[in-house]
Amino acid sequence: MQLVAIDLDGTLLSSQLTISTENLEAIREAQNQGNIVMICSGRAPENIFELLNDYNLSCPFAASNGTVVVIDGKEREIISMAKPEVLKTAQILESYQSPYKLYTNDGIWIPKSWYDNIQTSLKENEELKSRLTELEYRQLTEQPKETDSIHFFNHIQDVIDLHDLFVQKFFILQLHPQKREEMMEELKKLKGLTITTSGNDNIEVMDEKGNKGFGLNAVARHFNIPMNNTIAIGDNFNDVPMLEAAGLSVAMGNADPKVKEICDVVTKTNDEHGVAHIIRKYVLNK
């Protein structure tokens, strides 16, 4: 038995945010042969549940950059940020007027200033604004709607004061390159946190123990699979902890060059079904 941990965006998902027939077939063949395939993503648990249901896929996953581990539909392990660190992180972000979201044990919580801060960020990066397609611009600027899993708040202290609410991850948008670097340096000064990115315009903050490597290890322990029998496939810096932990590390053809450098293998791009290529080469009938 082997365990294959797969990132979503830029990896399993195409540039059109779909899972190809080739990838689906390879995953199902691997599962039918007794292997475990898991998703290891920065996305929130609710979003991953919905995606898997859309494709009729059943597999364990580690959400919010590995901080929430779900097996057989149940949360098995969860790593949350300490509330003082949540407050300090939010204060830094708000000093830069950076839009951010909180991934929590009760869905996603968003400051009501989200839309205004997005508009401010776009004004500070006119070059980016000019490159966005109409769809990309609408997706970026559209005000999220409140649902059962999306909530809004006025002040970060309102979230801190909710005793049964715990934050697993900050997802931060910062469209101004210089401010993004400055923010990352300030955030790195905070103790007990992991600071990473999954794209050129975002920053992600978790507890220092919370990362995709933790998620991969947790699922491997559950199924009694040795780490040298694990494969991790990813494309960006938030994937590095699971790539370093896995027995075989695989970078997508579209991965960041620095991620490719640390991996054992480089596969095809996400639009060329790179995940299916790796599963067929290293998992099926092995």
Side-chain angles (χ1 to χ4, degrees):
M1 179 189 291
Q2 295 194 70
L3 168 60
V4 185
I6 310 172
D7 170 51
L8 283 178
D9 295 278
T11 301
L12 182 60
L13 298 180
S14 71
S15 57
Q16 301 303 309
L17 301 181
T18 60
I19 305 178
S20 69
T21 300
E22 289 86 347
N23 283 343
L24 281 172
E25 289 178 349
I27 288 172
R28 290 189 173 117
E29 286 182 43
Q31 290 175 322
N32 289 338
Q33 289 186 13
N35 301 287
I36 304 298
V37 178
M38 69 173 290
I39 300 300
C40 206
S41 171
R43 294 192 181 204
E46 300 83 2
N47 187 277
I48 298 175
F49 266 125
E50 183 179 359
L51 181 69
L52 293 176
N53 285 336
D54 286 345
Y55 287 93
N56 196 28
L57 273 178
S58 177
C59 58
F61 63 81
S64 300
N65 277 344
T67 59
V68 182
V69 178
V70 177
I71 302 173
D72 296 329
K74 298 179 181 179
E75 289 184 359
R76 303 289 178 166
E77 299 196 40
I78 185 167
I79 293 182
S80 302
M81 296 174 63
K83 292 202 171 184
E85 275 59 57
V86 171
L87 178 59
K88 293 173 187 176
T89 300
Q91 288 172 336
I92 291 174
L93 305 182
E94 289 168 2
S95 72
Y96 283 89
Q97 292 184 287
S98 265
Y100 67 89
K101 300 178 181 180
L102 303 174
Y103 289 27
T104 80
N105 60 313
D106 183 31
I108 298 175
W109 287 66
I110 307 172
K112 289 184 177 178
S113 59
W114 169 270
Y115 178 80
D116 290 339
N117 287 343
I118 285 285
Q119 295 296 331
T120 299
S121 294
L122 284 171
K123 287 178 183 177
E124 293 175 342
N125 193 340
E126 292 292 338
E127 190 272 333
L128 171 65
K129 187 176 179 180
S130 67
R131 286 193 286 110
L132 294 173
T133 66
E134 183 178 343
L135 176 61
E136 289 171 334
Y137 181 82
R138 187 166 69 249
Q139 289 175 332
L140 186 62
T141 59
E142 191 172 50
Q143 176 74 352
K145 296 179 181 179
E146 190 154 15
T147 67
D148 290 342
S149 60
I150 297 179
H151 315 278
F152 291 90
F153 64 92
N154 287 308
H155 306 290
I156 188 62
Q157 193 62 49
D158 298 336
V159 175
I160 300 293
D161 291 341
L162 295 171
H163 298 296
D164 57 351
L165 187 73
F166 299 95
V167 176
Q168 285 79 58
K169 187 182 93 163
F170 276 79
F171 176 82
I172 307 146
L173 275 177
Q174 179 47 258
L175 307 179
H176 191 282
Q178 183 177 345
K179 283 190 174 182
R180 180 173 177 268
E181 292 304 314
E182 291 174 1
M183 279 175 50
M184 288 190 72
E185 289 306 311
E186 283 200 49
L187 291 167
K188 286 177 181 177
K189 294 176 184 177
L190 299 179
K191 295 182 179 180
L193 299 179
T194 292
I195 316 298
T196 189
T197 68
S198 59
N200 294 328
D201 302 313
N202 69 49
I203 303 172
E204 300 181 347
V205 181
M206 295 80 60
D207 179 85
E208 62 183 348
K209 297 178 183 177
N211 57 59
K212 292 189 179 186
F214 169 83
L216 173 57
N217 271 282
V219 175
R221 284 197 309 273
H222 179 86
F223 290 102
N224 294 313
I225 298 174
M227 288 303 293
N228 60 0
N229 283 358
T230 66
I231 300 172
I233 313 173
D235 74 302
N236 222 306
F237 294 105
N238 64 331
D239 297 315
V240 168
M242 74 170 181
L243 293 169
E244 291 178 337
L248 179 70
S249 57
V250 181
M252 299 299 293
N254 51 285
D256 186 283
K258 292 182 180 178
V259 174
K260 290 180 180 179
E261 288 177 6
I262 70 164
C263 286
D264 302 313
V265 177
V266 177
T267 186
K268 298 179 180 181
T269 71
N270 59 328
D271 286 326
E272 297 171 323
H273 328 296
V275 168
H277 177 74
I278 289 298
I279 290 175
R280 295 195 180 283
K281 183 173 182 179
Y282 292 97
V283 180
L284 298 183
N285 299 315
K286 298 297 183 184

